[in-house]
């Protein structure tokens, strides 16, 4: 019996080593650095206790980041989930060219951020951008804006572009989830007189509960890590209007050489991610421990 | 079965690690060949394709020094310092690397070899005379030690104009703020860009603002940067007001803070030739030497006429001064195992290399006092602009370009953007900058 349990540990040992080296060590090291004044390069670090966290509390940019994170997370997760569900449901119905549509909706995910940034910069540029040119062409000059140069519209477009890029992911996850729902359930519902509307709201939606949680957790973590689109399109500007945790970590670490402060932001991010994930998992498993996430 | 799987896994792991070790041995042996390999990482001089000046310099150097091989690693400016940091800290940094002037040069100090003795040995006791005093001030620390050698000088605060295009709109190159405002108005009325600026690049905003502030009062500007004067003083406040007016009065294009210099605005001026004016520094002189077809036809075509010019921002009858900085500082990794060969390469790059980079390609202005400026194949138009830069470099330099303290520099850049989009008043911007200035002293 004893021998058997040891061999079990041996089997998970390689994975545990990888986990310890690539996950645990960086987290612990990062937490340690957050207590030091260090430029990220020099050989000496000065222990400053909680000073870096104090700096963060007093930093007005951090408040903007938290606000941006909340707006971004709520908007992108909800809209992407609704659109993803809509497209998945549509494609499940054996549409003509369904594979083509699925590919087209998924395609933006594989586009590199630089390309996406370049394309949308051209669309949204104030003077000769396609969007403003189009508005002028249809005599709606009054609607023309400096889309990426005005704080409010810049954040809106970062959200729109993210939704455009990641709706395909939500669609695919929901589509996979829908394939796992037995056709028998729908057949039985039809016999009982349920229409398409009822089938969707009383069968599809509840049976995709695990998928909803997965989409939500992934969306929250994705929102916390958002970097590429705001960095390429606005570099967190104008005046921090599109600043996110990751863009600010980049600034603190590589422009200001404040590795300690940068690590403190990472710790805050880590704590937020842990709390959100733990809360969601608790809610999910609260009533039934046998459930699986999609 | 389990035993078999375990044995196979262990065997494959061992094989993999042995193969890895084997590869490393082979790699090490290759490096230990007859030639000494010097790794050189930089963002500038850039790899601009086959025939880039840097490859010509490397070829010439290797021909003169057959026992040394240069392993040139080009990394774009956006990630050069990040990669360098990781490489140096991991003990795998390059032997020689390019460094930008400013805060990074001092922050990397632990990984910069003190080059004073190398310079003395190679260039003699009076070696400092070899470089312009201004350059030496930038590369020397407070104890007089030198951790890098200057490769090329650049001047900021300039604007560029396509004079033919301006003439098409009935305009000439503006020399004062009042004239610039009028020109901008005329250009806007004809659906053309006014003065274009890539204000998303905060370093460019800093360059332009410093030149404006220096035009108002250079002494006050540098005193404030050094903490000897307040940013809320009237002279500095005037510069912030002026900066904000440029955006509010339509002198700069709409949505300027959403456009980068490289490549949004620069491409419009340099390649497309579709805008009449833009803000850029002396380094843009390389527009005359670039080989791509669009730039060549725009700058070296028949009747091409472009002007580099300075503006009298405060309308006092005198154009603004420029600010100057070393473009690339060559540093040596203290952990390099080939220091002698590495310095030989640095020596060559600063001397023969700089000759080609400056006189052949106008990548920058010379950092060496003993260097003759004799640019080959430059058009008459280019020559005229080069002379203008040299003239201003001689008698119209306000001081050092940029701000060494990263936090002060960042808050000024932030406030310049906030002013540009009217999110802050000049008074509030000055007060916020002053607060940071006091906190970093």
């Amino acid at each position: 019996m004893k021998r058997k349990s040891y061999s079990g540990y041996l089997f998970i040992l390689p994975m545990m080593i990888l986990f310890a080296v690539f996950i645990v060590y960086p987290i612990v090291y990062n937490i340690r650095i957050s207590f030091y004044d260090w430029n990220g390069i020099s050989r000496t670090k000065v222990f400053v206790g909680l000073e870096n966290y104090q700096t963060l509390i007093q930093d007005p940019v951090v408040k903007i980041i938290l606000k941006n994170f909340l707006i971004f997370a709520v908007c992108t997760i909800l809209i992407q989930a609704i659109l993803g569900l809509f497209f998945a449901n549509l494609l499940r119905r054996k549409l003509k060219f369904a594979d083509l549509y699925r590919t087209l909706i998924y395609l933006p995910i594989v586009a590199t951020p630089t390309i996406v940034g370049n394309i949308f910069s051209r669309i949204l540029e104030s003077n000769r951008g396609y969007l403003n040119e189009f508005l002028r062409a249809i005599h709606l000059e009054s609607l023309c804006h400096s889309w990426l140069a005005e704080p409010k519209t810049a954040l809106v477009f970062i959200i729109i572009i993210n939704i455009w890029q990641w709706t395909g992911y939500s669609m695919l996850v929901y589509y996979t989830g829908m394939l796992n729902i037995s056709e028998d359930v729908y057949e039985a519902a039809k016999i009982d007189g349920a229409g398409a509307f009822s089938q969707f709201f009383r069968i599809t939606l509840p049976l995709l509960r695990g998928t909803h949680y997965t989409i939500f957790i992934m969306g929250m973590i994705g929102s916390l890590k958002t970097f590429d689109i705001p960095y390429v399109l606005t570099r967190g500007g104008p005046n921090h209007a599109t600043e996110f945790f990751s863009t600010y970590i980049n600034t603190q670490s590589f422009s200001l050489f404040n590795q300690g402060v940068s690590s403190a932001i990472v710790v805050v991010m880590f704590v937020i991610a842990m709390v959100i994930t733990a809360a969601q998992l608790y809610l999910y498993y609260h009533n039934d421990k046998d459930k699986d996430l999609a | 079965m389990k035993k078999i799987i375990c044995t196979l896994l262990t065997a494959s792991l061992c094989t993999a690690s042995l193969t890895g070790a084997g590869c490393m041995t082979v790699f090490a042996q290759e490096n230990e060949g007859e030639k000494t390999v010097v790794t050189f990482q930089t963002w500038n001089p850039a790899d601009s394709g086959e025939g880039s000046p840097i490859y010509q310099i490397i070829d010439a150097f290797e021909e003169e020094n057959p026992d040394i091989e240069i392993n040139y690693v080009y990394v774009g400016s956006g990630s050069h310092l990040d990669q360098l940091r990781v490489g140096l800290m991991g003990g795998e940094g390059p032997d020689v690397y390019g460094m930008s002037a400013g805060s990074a040069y001092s922050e990397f100090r632990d990984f910069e070899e003190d080059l004073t003795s190398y310079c003395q040995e190679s260039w003699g006791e009076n070696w400092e005379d070899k470089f312009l005093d201004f350059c030496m001030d930038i590369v020397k620390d407070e104890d007089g030690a030198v951790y890098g050698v200057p490769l090329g000088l650049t001047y900021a605060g300039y604007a560029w104009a396509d004079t033919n295009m301006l003439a098409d709109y009935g305009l000439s190159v503006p020399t004062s703020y009042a004239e610039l405002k009028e020109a901008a108005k005329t250009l806007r009325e004809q659906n053309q860009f006014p003065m274009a600026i890539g204000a998303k690049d905060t370093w460019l905003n800093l360059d332009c603002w410093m030149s404006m502030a220096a035009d108002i009062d250079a002494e006050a500007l540098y005193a404030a940067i050094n903490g000897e004067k307040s940013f809320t003083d009237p002279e500095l406040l005037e510069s912030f007001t002026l900066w904000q007016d440029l955006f509010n009065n339509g002198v700069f294009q709409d949505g300027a803070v959403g456009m980068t210099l490289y490549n949004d605005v620069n491409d419009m001026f340099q390649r497309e030739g579709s805008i009449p004016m833009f803000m850029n520094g002396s380094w843009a002189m390389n527009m005359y030497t670039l080989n791509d077809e669009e730039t060549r036809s725009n700058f070296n075509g028949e009747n091409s006429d472009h002007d580099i010019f300075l503006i009298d921002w405060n309308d006092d009858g005198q154009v603004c001064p420029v600010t100057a900085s070393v473009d690339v500082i060559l540093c040596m990794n203290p952990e390099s195992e080939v220091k002698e060969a590495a310095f030989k390469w640095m020596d060559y790059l600063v001397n023969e290399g700089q000759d080609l980079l400056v006189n052949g390609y106008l990548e920058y202005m010379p950092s060496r006092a003993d260097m003759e400026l004799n640019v080959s194949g430059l058009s008459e138009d280019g020559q005229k602009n080069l002379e203008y830069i040299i003239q201003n470099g001689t008698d119209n330099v306000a001081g050092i370009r940029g701000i060494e303290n990263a936090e002060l520099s960042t808050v000024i850049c932030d406030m310049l953007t906030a002013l540009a989009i009217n999110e802050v008043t000049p008074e509030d911007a000055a007060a916020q900058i002053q607060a940071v200035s006091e906190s970093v002293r």
Side-chain angles (χ1 to χ4, degrees):
Chain A
M1 185 67 191
K2 237 182 180 178
R3 212 179 138 186
K4 202 176 175 184
S5 64
Y6 277 128
S7 68
Y9 283 119
L10 270 175
F11 274 111
I12 62 163
L13 189 64
M15 188 46 78
M16 290 308 288
I17 291 172
L18 288 175
F19 181 72
V21 170
F22 293 108
I23 308 285
V24 179
Y25 174 72
I27 292 171
V28 173
Y29 182 75
N30 190 79
I31 293 171
R32 185 175 157 253
I33 295 300
S34 73
F35 298 112
Y36 283 86
D37 176 14
W38 185 40
N39 68 1
I41 309 157
S42 66
R43 297 177 207 276
T44 50
K45 307 177 185 79
V46 181
F47 183 77
V48 291
L50 293 170
E51 207 177 277
N52 290 328
Y53 292 92
Q54 256 176 323
T55 307
L56 283 190
I57 291 167
Q58 290 161 358
D59 188 346
V61 179
V62 173
K63 290 185 188 80
I64 300 174
I65 291 169
L66 284 169
K67 190 187 82 186
N68 287 349
F69 162 64
L70 284 174
I71 295 172
F72 182 86
V74 170
C75 294
T76 55
I77 292 170
L78 277 179
I79 299 171
Q80 275 166 219
I82 292 166
L83 288 175
L85 200 56
F86 172 76
F87 287 125
N89 196 44
L90 213 63
L91 294 173
R92 197 174 59 96
R93 295 180 184 188
K94 298 186 175 89
L95 278 179
K96 211 174 179 185
F97 306 121
D99 287 345
L100 177 69
Y101 299 143
R102 204 164 42 235
T103 310
L104 286 176
I105 297 167
Y106 191 77
L107 208 58
I109 295 175
V110 295
T112 60
T114 319
I115 304 283
V116 173
N118 204 333
I119 291 168
F120 279 94
S121 290
R122 280 172 189 270
I123 294 171
L124 302 171
E125 198 274 306
S126 314
N127 303 279
R128 295 173 184 176
Y130 302 136
L131 180 56
N132 279 353
E133 291 281 10
F134 172 72
L135 290 171
R136 282 184 206 111
I138 56 170
H139 304 291
L140 288 172
E141 288 94 342
S142 58
L143 294 180
C144 290
H145 275 280
S146 299
W147 306 108
L148 294 177
E150 290 175 16
K152 278 179 190 163
T153 48
L155 184 61
V156 169
F157 273 96
I158 296 288
I159 291 169
I160 291 172
I161 294 164
N162 194 83
I163 291 168
W164 168 80
Q165 195 173 19
W166 289 99
T167 293
Y169 171 78
S170 305
M171 178 204 69
L172 207 68
V173 175
Y174 275 124
Y175 183 75
T176 317
M178 284 175 186
L179 292 181
N180 290 330
I181 301 172
S182 168
E183 277 299 318
D184 298 347
V185 185
Y186 291 104
E187 290 297 328
K190 267 185 209 169
I191 292 165
D192 289 343
F197 192 78
S198 290
Q199 283 178 41
F200 179 76
F201 281 99
R202 298 193 175 212
I203 298 172
T204 312
L205 214 55
L207 287 179
L208 287 173
R209 190 164 172 248
T211 314
H212 302 321
Y213 275 91
T214 305
I215 293 270
F216 204 76
I217 294 173
M218 297 305 282
M220 274 292 180
I221 293 169
S223 301
L224 269 176
K225 295 195 309 181
T226 296
F227 178 76
D228 47 13
I229 298 293
Y231 186 76
V232 173
L233 269 180
T234 59
R235 292 191 198 150
N239 198 27
H240 303 290
T242 57
E243 199 79 74
F244 288 88
F245 282 106
S246 300
T247 53
Y248 202 47
I249 287 167
N250 185 65
T251 305
Q252 286 287 347
S253 185
F254 296 109
S255 302
L256 293 171
F257 299 101
N258 285 334
Q259 191 61 50
V261 176
S262 172
S263 295
I265 304 173
V266 176
V267 174
V268 171
M269 253 175 92
F270 181 70
V271 170
I272 294 174
M274 291 286 284
V275 169
I276 292 169
T277 312
Q280 286 171 344
L281 290 177
Y282 173 77
L283 286 174
Y284 182 73
Y285 287 112
H286 188 54
N287 296 322
D288 187 357
K289 288 186 177 176
D290 295 331
K291 287 170 188 161
D292 284 327
L293 289 176
Chain B
M1 186 62 187
K2 272 183 190 173
K3 258 187 178 177
I4 295 169
I5 292 171
C6 281
T7 316
L8 281 172
L9 271 172
T10 317
S12 55
L13 273 170
C14 291
T15 316
S17 53
L18 281 172
T19 316
C23 287
M24 286 173 78
T25 313
V26 171
F27 184 67
Q29 278 171 353
E30 279 173 1
N31 280 351
E32 282 166 11
E34 282 177 21
K35 288 189 176 184
T36 304
V37 178
V38 174
T39 306
F40 172 49
Q41 182 187 315
T42 192
W43 83 102
N44 183 335
D47 176 0
S48 49
E50 215 176 311
S52 299
I54 186 63
Y55 291 121
Q56 295 176 43
I57 296 166
I58 290 171
D59 288 346
F61 174 79
E62 287 177 346
E63 205 175 307
E64 269 186 37
N65 300 276
D67 55 331
I68 302 174
E69 184 185 321
I70 302 299
N71 174 25
Y72 168 65
V73 182
Y74 168 69
V75 183
S77 59
S79 48
H80 168 63
L81 288 184
D82 307 350
Q83 280 197 29
L84 188 62
R85 176 152 101 168
V86 175
L88 290 169
M89 289 174 74
E92 291 175 353
D95 301 295
V96 179
Y97 55 89
M99 175 58 61
S100 53
S103 55
Y105 179 54
S106 48
E107 297 289 355
F108 275 76
R109 191 53 38 91
D110 281 0
F111 293 98
E112 293 165 353
E113 176 84 0
D114 182 351
L115 299 173
T116 317
S117 59
Y118 292 90
C119 295
Q120 277 170 355
E121 202 176 305
S122 295
W123 301 323
E125 281 302 312
N126 298 324
W127 69 272
E128 285 187 23
D129 297 343
K130 184 179 178 64
F131 297 98
L132 297 169
D133 292 344
F134 184 78
C135 296
M136 288 312 300
D137 290 344
I138 290 173
V139 296
K140 263 200 288 193
D141 76 349
E142 56 272 20
D143 300 323
V146 170
Y147 293 91
V149 286
L151 177 68
L153 195 61
T154 50
Y155 300 102
Y158 285 108
W160 287 80
D162 182 333
T163 52
N164 290 331
M165 195 184 290
L166 281 177
D168 290 343
Y169 292 103
L171 298 165
S172 56
V173 177
T175 54
S176 67
Y177 182 37
E179 285 179 24
L180 182 62
K181 268 196 283 194
E182 280 306 309
K185 199 176 157 199
T186 308
L187 289 165
R188 276 179 177 274
E189 281 166 2
Q190 299 181 66
N191 293 323
Q192 179 52 276
F193 265 54
M195 173 64 81
I197 182 171
K200 188 169 159 185
D201 286 317
T202 54
W203 59 267
L204 180 67
N205 296 346
L206 186 66
D207 276 349
C208 297
W209 169 77
M210 281 187 76
S211 215
M212 289 169 200
D215 194 23
I216 294 164
D217 191 337
E219 217 171 286
L221 169 69
Y222 286 97
I225 290 170
N226 294 327
E228 296 151 7
K229 199 174 170 66
S230 173
F231 280 92
T232 56
D233 282 3
E235 301 88 349
L236 274 303
L237 203 54
E238 191 186 334
S239 70
F240 294 125
T241 309
L242 171 64
W243 174 258
Q244 193 168 45
D245 284 351
L246 291 167
F247 292 87
N248 289 342
N249 292 340
V251 172
F252 291 146
Q253 84 275 22
D254 296 337
V257 294
M259 295 180 83
T260 56
L261 172 61
Y262 298 106
N263 291 319
D264 295 343
V265 173
N266 189 68
D267 274 3
M268 286 178 171
F269 188 84
Q270 180 192 310
R271 293 208 163 86
E272 296 169 13
S274 62
I275 55 171
M277 292 185 286
F278 84 135
M279 304 292 298
N280 204 356
S282 68
W283 55 90
M285 272 301 291
N286 71 353
M287 292 189 286
Y288 287 98
T289 60
L290 287 171
N291 273 328
D292 69 275
E293 205 173 306
E294 287 166 307
T295 307
R296 212 174 43 228
S297 99
N298 193 16
F299 277 81
N300 292 317
E302 213 179 324
N303 299 324
S304 293
D305 189 6
H306 295 84
D307 275 7
I308 185 169
F309 64 105
L310 291 166
I311 297 160
D312 172 11
W313 292 108
N314 59 346
D315 288 330
D316 66 350
Q318 284 189 323
V319 294
C320 67
V322 293
T323 56
S325 178
V326 172
D327 209 11
V328 184
I329 302 173
L330 296 175
C331 297
M332 189 199 288
N333 183 354
E335 288 172 9
S336 167
E337 289 173 4
V338 291
K339 287 181 184 171
E340 205 179 308
F343 192 78
K344 207 177 229 184
W345 163 241
M346 291 165 84
D347 181 357
Y348 190 87
L349 194 50
V350 163
N351 289 292
E352 287 86 346
Q354 191 174 172
D355 283 340
L356 182 76
L357 290 164
V358 173
N359 284 329
Y361 292 89
L362 268 177
E363 289 287 338
Y364 5 76
M365 297 296 117
S367 63
R368 279 181 13 233
D370 61 355
M371 186 174 162
E372 272 184 43
L373 199 59
N374 183 23
V375 182
S376 56
L378 195 62
S379 66
E380 205 178 306
D381 182 36
Q383 191 62 44
K384 171 194 73 185
N385 288 327
L386 180 61
E387 280 163 18
Y388 186 77
I389 292 169
I390 294 166
Q391 186 59 45
N392 281 285
T394 311
D395 58 22
N396 192 26
V397 179
I400 291 176
R401 177 184 168 214
I403 294 168
E404 194 176 343
N405 185 289
E407 287 186 37
L408 182 59
S409 173
T410 302
V411 72
I412 295 177
C413 289
D414 282 354
M415 287 303 114
L416 292 176
T417 308
L419 284 164
I421 56 173
N422 284 313
E423 284 215 324
V424 70
T425 62
E427 289 78 11
D428 287 344
Q432 288 190 49
I433 293 167
Q434 183 57 27
V436 172
S437 173
E438 284 166 16
S439 73
V440 297
R441 299 295 158 204

